[in-house]
Each structure stands twice: as C-alpha cells, then as structure tokens.
Amino acid sequence: MRMSQLFGRTLRQAPAEAETANHQLMLRAALVNQLAAGIYSYMPLGWRVLRKIEQIVREEMDAAGGQEVHLPAMHPAELWEQTGRRAVLGQTLFSFKDRREREMVLGPTHEEVIVDLFKKHVQSYRDLPKLLYQIQTKFRDEPRARGGLVRAREFDMMDLYSFDAGWDGLDESYDKMCVAYKKAFDRCGVPTVAVQADSGAIGGKDSQEFMFLTEIGEDEVLLCPGCGYMANTEKADHKKLRLPDDAAHPLEEVATPGQRTIDDLVAFLGVPHHQTLKAVFYEADGKPVFVAIRGDLQVNEIKLKNALKATELRFMEDRAVERYGLVAGSAGPVGLREKLPGVRIIADDSAVETPNLVTGANVAGTHLRNVNHGRDWTADVVTDISLATPGAPCARCGESLELRHGIEMGHVFKLGTIYSEAMEAFFLDRDGTQRPAVMGCYGIGMGRILAAIIEAHHDEKGIIWPLSVAPYHAHVVALNPEQEAVRASAEWMANRLEESGVEVLYDDRDERPGVKFNDADLLGLPFRITVSPRTLEKQAVEFKRRSDPEAETIAPAEAIERVVAALRENAPVQA
C-alpha cells in the first residue's frame, strides 16, 4: 500500500475528547473515526488490525473445538421475554417495531438466539458436547460511552456458547475456553489475569473476567499479594473483623440529638464503628428494602441486588425514606415492620454475628444500645452483602488486599441450565430421560483488544505494534522520492519484501523527512526501512525496529532477511 493512496490522514494533536493514550493514538493514527458517542468507523489501518485480531481469536476457538456460526443481530423481542432478560437489561436494549408492529431488539448478546438454534438441531446426548461461536456486532445503549473502543454502543464481539450433557462436561468446556482465551490474548500482545467476577445480567453459577491491568481501566480489582487471590470488587470476598462473643445486654434507649451519621454517632457516644449497625434503605423493583450492615462496612450493591434477585435496585435518599414515614438518620430494624408493613429486611452476616450494637430507634434524635439479632429484630435474608475495600484482610490468607484498575478483555460464565430450561432446550440422555442442556458462554471484545494493545505498546512518539497484529509488517520510507534512483530503489525494496510474504506500507509521499519519520513512529509498524540519497551512496538501507532506540545501516538483502526471519519466528505453531 502506498501512503499517497492510503485513505485517512494522521493528526499532530489528538481531539480534546480523547483522554487515554490508546484513544488519542487511534484517532491520531487514523485507525478509527467517531461518528457519534460510542459509535466508530474503522479506517483501513484500524480495520486491518481488527481483522488480524479476529483471525487470532478464530484460530484459538477452532483449535479448542469451536465451530463458527453467524447469528442475526436483529432479534424478536419475545425471545428475550422468554428468559426475562428484556426487563433485566431494560434501557440497555435498543428496541424498535417493524412495519408489522412486531417488537424487535438489536442484540447486545446472543444467548437466546443460540439456544433457539440449538434446540432445533440437537435431540440426543450423542450430539453433545457442542461449542458454537461467532464474531458479530453487538448493540448496547450504554449510559456513559467513553474511552473510545473500551466502552462503545456498537462493537464487535466473539461470543462462544458451550452445550454439554452435564456439569462435568461444562467444567471441561469452561477450562478449555480459559486456556484458549489466554493463548489468544498472549498472541495479541495483551497481558491478562483471570479474576473472579459477578455474572451480572448474563446470570449463571461461576464466572471469571480476563483483565488487562492498567491505571486507565474503569474496573477495579482486588488482589492478594500473599496467596494470589484476585476478584473484581463487585465479587470480592474479605475477612471481617470478628468480635468476641458477649452476652446480650439489656436494650437501652439513648438520646442522640442531631446525630445523623455513623461518624456522628461514633464521636457522640464514644463507641467504635464496628459496634454500630448502619441502616441503609433501597427500593428493589419499586418495593422498600431495609439493609442492616455493621457500621465499619459498606454495602456492595451488586451482592445486594443478587441477594434480592432484583431487576432494578435504587438507593433511597433521605426524602424518599421520609415519604415512607421513617426517620432518616435515626432508622433501625427494631420495630421497623410495625412502622412499615411489608418491608424486606436484608442483613449482612456482620450485623447478625456481632452482639450489642447501637442503631436507630426510628424516633428522631434517638438511638438504641445493645441491639441483638434474634431477640430484638430478625432479618428476612442473612448473607454477605459487604464491599471489600483496599487494605481489608484476604478471606483466604489474611494478607491486606491491594487495589488495581483494569479493562475487561473477556468474560467466561458457567450458565448451567437457566437458559435451556427457560427456552425448553432439552435432549434425551442415555436412559431416554429428557434433560436441559448445561451451558457456558464466553465473550471477547474485539475493539477492546485493539485498544489494550495500543495501551500496552506505545511510547511518547506513537504506537509500537506487536508483529502479530500490526496493520503492515514493514514501513518502507523513501526520502526525496522525486529522485529516480531513490524511487526505483524503494520500490524494488517494497516489491521484494512483498514477494517474500511481508505486508508493506510504502511511503512514497512528497513530504519532508521529519514528517515521514514522525508518521512512521506514530503508526508504529514493527520495521522501518529507509531509502535515501545517502543510503544509496553506501549501497545500503537504514533499518530500524520500532521498539529499538537507534537505526542501523545494512545491506538491502539483509534487511529483507531480518524481516522474513521475524515473521517466521512469529508464525503460530500448528496443532
């Protein structure tokens, strides 16, 4: 490809809205172009990279036993109503009606569609297992599209779905996919770690996220330097302070005028935070929920939402609390059901296991001492709904957890039978019994890989592409191409490289050397080969790896040999 013909032009400065290095460089190097918030066009160079990423992922999915399909992006809404996910995803779904007034959605993911396909073609355990995947465009009406390709509203994803006859088979498919994911990310040049994660709207039993750890990431990961435990903060466990057992003391009312927060209460009464019970109100699917948690802990709203099996969860501000006839700042679980019949009380296990807590009396300016679960109040649900925070003890070894930020590259889920049961995707087992298929699902964001590659491989001058995904392998630069000898030599070099299987970007433009070198560094191809009047005098070329600080002068044949050898070393090992 001649740069004089290449569509798109480089920018000296990135647009103001681009905050991260990868987003800035994608725009400056003309890899993508923004059409609207979270919606991007791929330019020729960016599209070449994306296709190489897709091919790497495709090869690893095929090697793991996957079969590629292509599913519709447009889905009948009734499929999503069968599983209940239309309500779960809510405004994230792009919905519309066709000319026959049939309600449709643009697919944000494809569990429903793949199950519908599976049930029409699989009847027996002899047809299992099956691993089906696609690379398809997804549509999600993200409330805060940001970071270029990291959080977009239209994006390409590889999604694979496994169907097994039992849970042991699912475990095998899941492990196989985890290995394939690691290979794919490694080949793309993106370092990842697998962390425990919440399943979110996908649902299911277990899940892991493959994270690229970077300070620009919006995901938060807690890791233990002692035992290696890693989890998204939405999922992370931690060891809570355990207080000595103590006999229940008599309930005591105490005046606390003007004390509305836990910090106020602690200072006023001279008690530690862990001796208080915090009251937090939510609305879950429009109904009030009282959350009781020890005062030294915070509520993890993801854990809470899962415990409630709620579609929508909203924190209640003081005014909303008061509309229910409750006293914000002095609320507590004792006598709450009399004041608010039908309220659900959800307790963190810390609020149940700790004796003699201080909490609100549901009377303005009044609190209660020595409140004990079982004697003074009872919860409808007791579970862990606490948020693990940096510095908290690891639940496994007790070391302090450390916080890292990351970008989610891929997510794997053990779905089980929630979709196959809802959509009646059954098969006949060995004894003729009808059973639901046991499913897993596995997703990789293609655009996110592109963004992560750039974030992991760049310097102050531009991108440094790994050879496996570079839009072109070598950048042949002609200085003073108006000179016949320079032009002929540069074109000879470009042609010989291409005949050797090297993808070449040839800078034949009538530009100053500084412009050409700046663009070469910005575009970041693995090898730069420069032909100039000076190199011609030496019957040589200037050869430079993008990752090396200095260039060297070598014979043209040697330059070709080095690039070809690098390609040979980088070629994937055939299974």
Side-chain angles (χ1 to χ4, degrees):
M1 170 57 67
R2 294 172 180 263
M3 283 193 72
S4 60
Q5 299 173 4
L6 181 65
F7 180 66
R9 61 178 60 187
T10 58
L11 303 175
R12 298 277 73 81
Q13 301 293 328
E17 70 270 14
E19 298 178 351
T20 60
N22 75 81
H23 192 191
Q24 293 169 358
L25 291 170
M26 273 191 278
L27 296 175
R28 287 187 57 210
L31 303 181
V32 299
N33 186 80
Q34 182 171 316
L35 177 65
I39 304 174
Y40 288 85
S41 301
Y42 283 90
M43 305 286 278
L45 290 178
W47 186 241
R48 287 181 68 91
V49 176
L50 192 72
R51 284 166 56 199
K52 291 187 176 185
I53 294 169
E54 289 179 353
Q55 187 57 29
I56 288 172
V57 171
R58 187 175 277 116
E59 288 170 2
E60 293 303 336
M61 296 306 106
D62 289 348
Q67 299 181 62
E68 187 169 6
V69 297
H70 189 75
L71 305 175
M74 192 164 46
H75 308 167
E78 58 260 30
L79 275 181
W80 287 76
E81 289 167 354
Q82 274 186 263
T83 60
R85 285 211 301 169
R86 190 177 185 187
V88 171
L89 287 169
Q91 293 182 336
T92 301
L93 284 174
F94 282 103
S95 305
F96 64 98
K97 290 184 179 180
D98 65 16
R99 66 177 62 199
R100 296 177 179 81
E101 293 297 303
R102 187 181 190 185
E103 293 190 345
M104 310 291 289
V105 301
L106 293 177
T109 181
H110 278 72
E111 283 76 16
E112 284 80 0
V113 177
I114 197 71
V115 172
D116 181 76
L117 182 66
F118 170 85
K119 66 187 283 190
K120 293 172 181 175
H121 293 273
V122 173
Q123 286 81 39
S124 167
Y125 73 93
R126 294 186 181 89
D127 300 322
L128 299 173
K130 285 289 182 290
L131 288 84
L132 306 175
Y133 78 94
Q134 65 167 346
I135 297 175
Q136 169 66 290
T137 303
K138 311 292 187 189
F139 303 88
R140 297 180 187 176
D141 195 359
E142 292 283 358
R144 49 190 182 90
R146 62 173 291 275
L149 300 181
V150 171
R151 186 165 295 280
R153 295 195 294 163
E154 177 182 326
F155 57 95
D156 293 328
M157 178 189 284
M158 188 292 299
D159 43 325
L160 183 145
Y161 304 89
S162 63
F163 296 87
D164 285 281
W167 285 95
D168 289 344
L170 171 59
D171 289 343
E172 185 176 337
S173 295
Y174 184 90
D175 291 344
K176 190 182 296 183
M177 283 301 105
C178 288
V179 171
Y181 269 41
K182 188 67 169 63
K183 289 181 179 178
F185 294 131
D186 286 348
R187 286 180 61 189
C188 289
V190 179
T192 59
V193 295
V195 307
Q196 294 184 24
D198 179 71
S199 296
I202 299 292
K205 177 186 173 186
D206 297 322
S207 77
Q208 291 182 90
E209 291 170 332
F210 285 77
M211 285 282 188
F212 165 50
L213 298 181
T214 168
E215 286 308 308
I216 67 134
E218 61 180 15
D219 286 285
E220 293 186 335
V221 175
L222 288 172
L223 60 86
C224 175
C227 66
Y229 169 76
M230 287 184 282
N232 192 306
T233 53
E234 296 175 348
K235 176 75 173 180
D237 296 327
H238 63 120
K239 188 177 293 184
K240 303 171 190 178
L241 176 66
R242 185 65 184 261
L243 300 179
D245 292 336
D246 192 10
H249 299 167
L251 195 64
E252 176 187 346
E253 189 176 286
V254 57
T256 52
Q259 311 306 308
R260 296 177 56 84
T261 69
I262 292 293
D263 288 341
D264 292 341
L265 192 66
V266 164
F268 185 78
L269 295 179
V271 296
H273 283 79
H274 58 253
Q275 205 61 54
T276 65
L277 189 150
K278 186 188 301 182
V280 192
F281 284 92
Y282 289 88
E283 281 186 335
D285 298 330
K287 297 179 180 179
V289 174
F290 175 91
V291 175
I293 190 168
R294 212 168 59 193
D296 59 326
L297 301 171
Q298 301 175 43
V299 176
N300 183 321
E301 294 186 352
I302 299 297
K303 291 181 180 179
L304 175 61
K305 187 176 180 180
N306 291 340
L308 292 167
K309 296 180 172 57
T311 299
E312 186 177 14
L313 183 72
R314 289 185 181 179
F315 174 76
M316 288 173 60
E317 302 288 350
D318 287 355
R319 288 185 179 180
V321 172
E322 290 163 0
R323 281 200 297 270
Y324 280 104
L326 302 170
V327 183
S330 294
V334 180
L336 181 65
R337 288 193 173 90
E338 287 73 27
K339 287 184 170 290
L340 188 59
V343 66
R344 291 189 72 187
I345 300 179
I346 310 298
D348 183 66
D349 48 18
S350 64
V352 170
E353 295 169 357
T354 307
N356 303 317
L357 295 171
V358 177
T359 192
N362 295 312
V363 176
T366 307
H367 280 75
L368 298 173
R369 286 183 183 270
N370 303 324
V371 172
N372 288 271
H373 183 265
R375 182 192 70 180
D376 306 313
W377 66 287
T378 56
D380 297 302
V381 177
V382 178
T383 188
D384 171 35
I385 52 171
S386 65
L387 181 70
T389 55
C394 173
R396 287 153 180 72
C397 71
E399 284 280 339
S400 294
L401 296 173
E402 298 177 356
L403 180 68
R404 296 287 187 275
H405 288 87
I407 299 173
E408 178 192 336
M409 294 288 97
H411 207 152
V412 294
F413 305 83
K414 291 184 180 180
L415 296 178
T417 60
I418 54 175
Y419 290 93
S420 51
E421 287 180 344
M423 298 182 66
E424 299 181 351
F426 301 121
F427 68 94
L428 294 178
D429 67 10
R430 290 178 183 275
D431 60 8
T433 303
Q434 198 174 56
R435 299 187 186 279
V438 183
M439 290 180 61
C441 78
Y442 318 85
I444 295 178
M446 298 294 145
R448 284 193 175 188
I449 295 181
L450 195 158
I453 292 168
I454 298 173
E455 195 67 41
H457 302 279
H458 74 273
D459 60 16
E460 70 281 358
K461 295 179 180 179
I463 304 167
I464 307 173
W465 288 111
L467 191 57
S468 60
V469 293
Y472 292 91
H473 303 134
H475 199 149
V476 174
V477 179
L479 302 185
N480 303 110
E482 71 280 0
Q483 296 184 20
E484 176 61 28
V486 171
R487 185 171 64 254
S489 181
E491 290 182 359
W492 178 90
M493 174 62 68
N495 290 335
R496 295 293 83 73
L497 285 165
E498 289 183 337
E499 289 169 2
S500 301
V502 178
E503 298 169 3
V504 177
L505 182 63
Y506 170 36
D507 191 346
D508 62 335
R509 298 174 299 165
D510 184 16
E511 289 283 3
R512 291 177 287 108
V515 171
K516 293 193 171 194
F517 287 146
N518 285 338
D519 280 347
D521 285 337
L522 174 62
L523 298 180
L525 303 187
F527 302 98
R528 189 187 78 202
I529 301 171
T530 304
V531 179
S532 68
R534 183 178 61 82
T535 61
L536 284 180
E537 291 177 0
K538 301 177 182 179
Q539 297 184 328
V541 294
E542 186 181 83
F543 182 85
K544 183 180 183 299
R545 289 180 180 267
R546 176 62 179 87
S547 55
D548 290 344
E550 301 293 336
E552 55 184 315
T553 301
I554 60 176
E558 184 181 349
I560 295 171
E561 288 173 5
R562 289 193 189 183
V563 177
V564 171
L567 282 177
R568 194 179 299 119
E569 291 173 7
N570 189 71
V573 177
Q574 298 299 317

